[in-house]
Amino acid sequence: MSEFVHLHAHSTYSFLDGLAPVRELVAKAKSVGQRGIALTDHGNLFGAPQFFQACADEDMKGVIGMEAYEAVPFAWDTDEYIHLYKQYDEPRYHHLTLWAMDFEGWKNLCQLHSISYTKQYKPRNQPLIDRQTLERHSEGLMVGLGCIASKTNKQLMNNDPDQAYEVAKWYKEVFGDRAYMEVMANTADQQALLRGQRQVAQKLGIPVIATNDVHYVDQADGVENGCHHTLVQARRFKSKNVEKSKDQSDSGFGSWYGSDGFYVKSRDEMLQTGGLLEEEIDRTAEVLDRVTFDPSEISEPNPPQAVVPEPGEDPLFDVWLESAT
C-alpha cells in the first residue's frame, strides 16, 4: 500500500512547543492526500474534543494519542515519590508515544492522563507516568518507542546498543505486537540513529514506522528565527531564573530545532527526507487500519445528582438549613 499517515503530531495543545491549530492540522493532512491523522500532544489529551470534531468535519479517521512523559527510575516511600536524579543535567523523564487502538485503549489513555497530573512525582509540575502505571493501563494501547528524547534512543545516542535493546525489550514484552519503532530523519542527529534503531527493531521483531514529529502546519513556520522558533524561545524566558529552565530537563529551551522539516508532509515529501525507507513510510497506514476506536462510543458525562433531604429526614441538615436561612 503506497500511503502515508502522520502518527506523531503536536497541536497548539502541546503548550509552547506545538504551533498547529487542531483544525488546520487535520485540514492540511487531508489536503496532502491522507485519509487519517493522529494527535499526540505532549502529556495531555486536552485537544481531543476539537480533534474528533475536526476529523468528522473533514471526513478523516482520527487516531487519538499522547506523547507521554515516562519518569526515570524512582524510589517509592509511602505517599511520596523520591527523586533519584537531582542534577540539572540529568533527564527526569523520557518521551514515549501512545495511541488508543480501541475503546479500552481510550479509557486507559484517559487514566494515564489523569494519573500523570495527580501523582506527586512531578518535577516542576511535569505530568509523569511510571512503568508500573503504564503496564497496568497498557490494554488497547499501541506504543511508539518515541522521538530522539525517548529512553531507547537516549541509549543509542550514548553508543550503548545493548542497553537500548534491553530498554526496547520491555515495551515488546508489555505491548507485544502493538509496539513500533519510530524513525525520523529531519536532523542529522535523527539520521545518525537510524541504523541502531533498525537493528534493535529487527532483533526484537518490532515493526518500524516513519513518523515526522509534526510541530507546525507548513514548512515556512519552522525556519530558523521563524514563528515556531519564537514560540519555543518563550519557554526559556518564562522564568527569570535560567537555572529553573534547565531544571525542566530540556536542554533545547530557546534553541532552534535544527530543521524546518517538522511540518505536515505529503508521502512524496517523506520519501524525499533522507534516510527513510519506503516500507517504513507506508507501514503507517497499517497502524491507522488497526485503530477501531470510534469517538461516538464516548458517552456524555453524567453530572452528579444532588439529593436534598425532606424536612425531618436528616436532623443535621435541618439544623444547618435553619442556621443558613
Side-chain angles (χ1 to χ4, degrees), residues 3-14 20-30 32 34-42 44-45 47-48 50-52 54-55 60-67 96-101 106 109 141-144 180 182 184 209-217 262-265 283-291 293 295:
E3 189 177 7
F4 172 68
V5 176
H6 280 287
L7 296 175
H8 190 136
H10 299 275
S11 74
T12 50
Y13 286 94
S14 287
V22 173
R23 288 192 172 276
E24 292 183 23
L25 182 69
V26 175
K28 179 62 182 292
K30 183 176 182 179
V32 295
Q34 294 164 25
R35 59 186 172 90
I37 186 173
L39 182 66
T40 55
D41 279 316
H42 278 301
N44 74 78
L45 297 171
Q50 190 177 5
F51 175 66
F52 292 144
C55 288
M60 291 276 280
K61 184 174 182 178
V63 179
I64 188 62
M66 177 172 67
E67 186 167 15
L96 188 71
T97 315
L98 300 170
W99 302 285
M101 187 168 67
W106 162 252
L109 197 62
L141 290 176
M142 295 184 290
V143 63
Y180 293 88
E182 292 183 69
M184 306 171 187
I209 57 173
T211 59
N212 199 52
D213 199 4
V214 172
H215 282 263
Y216 36 85
V217 174
F262 297 90
Y263 65 97
V264 183
K265 292 180 178 179
R283 193 171 288 122
T284 56
E286 297 177 19
V287 177
L288 178 71
D289 289 335
R290 294 190 69 182
V291 176
F293 173 57

Side-chain angles (χ1 to χ4, degrees), residues 5-246:
V5 176
H6 280 287
L7 296 175
H8 190 136
H10 299 275
S11 74
T12 50
Y13 286 94
S14 287
F15 303 117
L16 296 180
D17 194 29
L19 195 65
V22 173
R23 288 192 172 276
E24 292 183 23
L25 182 69
V26 175
K28 179 62 182 292
K30 183 176 182 179
S31 73
V32 295
Q34 294 164 25
R35 59 186 172 90
I37 186 173
L39 182 66
T40 55
D41 279 316
H42 278 301
N44 74 78
L45 297 171
F46 300 138
Q50 190 177 5
F51 175 66
F52 292 144
Q53 186 60 58
C55 288
D57 293 344
E58 295 287 350
D59 193 25
M60 291 276 280
K61 184 174 182 178
V63 179
I64 188 62
M66 177 172 67
E67 186 167 15
Y69 295 110
E70 181 185 354
V72 297
F74 58 87
W76 178 258
D77 180 17
T78 61
D79 294 327
E80 183 179 5
Y81 287 105
I82 308 299
H83 300 299
L84 296 182
Y85 292 80
K86 296 296 185 182
Q87 298 85 357
Y88 287 143
D89 58 347
E90 289 286 353
R92 296 186 179 183
Y93 55 83
H94 297 97
H95 295 200
L96 188 71
T97 315
L98 300 170
W99 302 285
M101 187 168 67
D102 51 28
F103 187 65
E104 186 68 22
W106 162 252
K107 291 192 293 183
N108 276 322
L109 197 62
C110 291
Q111 286 280 359
L112 291 170
H113 174 270
S114 298
I115 290 169
S116 71
Y117 278 91
T118 55
K119 292 296 184 182
Q120 295 181 4
Y121 184 58
K122 297 183 295 183
R124 307 202 61 76
N125 296 318
Q126 191 73 41
L128 300 180
I129 57 175
D130 58 76
R131 281 197 165 186
Q132 293 93 324
T133 304
L134 181 60
E135 184 172 7
R136 191 165 59 248
H137 297 285
S138 61
E139 280 300 311
L141 290 176
M142 295 184 290
V143 63
L145 270 57
C147 64
I148 203 168
S150 72
K151 193 169 186 178
T152 303
N153 291 329
K154 285 293 185 182
Q155 298 302 327
L156 290 174
M157 291 179 68
N158 291 335
N159 296 314
D160 194 345
D162 292 336
Q163 187 58 35
Y165 168 82
E166 291 300 324
V167 169
K169 182 181 177 182
W170 184 86
Y171 301 109
K172 173 66 174 179
E173 291 172 347
V174 172
F175 291 89
D177 68 351
R178 293 175 284 123
Y180 293 88
M181 177 69 76
E182 292 183 69
V183 292
M184 306 171 187
N186 284 316
T187 67
D189 286 342
Q190 290 176 336
Q191 292 177 10
L193 292 177
L194 291 174
R195 182 179 179 183
Q197 289 173 313
R198 288 167 180 151
Q199 288 176 340
V200 170
Q202 183 179 26
K203 192 174 180 180
L204 286 169
I206 296 177
V208 180
I209 57 173
T211 59
N212 199 52
D213 199 4
V214 172
H215 282 263
Y216 36 85
V217 174
D218 299 311
Q219 187 173 12
D221 298 331
V223 298
E224 189 170 8
N225 296 317
C227 51
H228 184 258
H229 183 199
T230 303
L231 174 70
V232 296
Q233 277 186 316
R235 300 197 313 224
R236 182 173 179 82
F237 299 105
K238 65 183 177 182
S239 170
K240 295 180 180 179
N241 188 337
V242 176
E243 291 301 312
K244 288 185 177 180
S245 290
K246 290 181 180 179

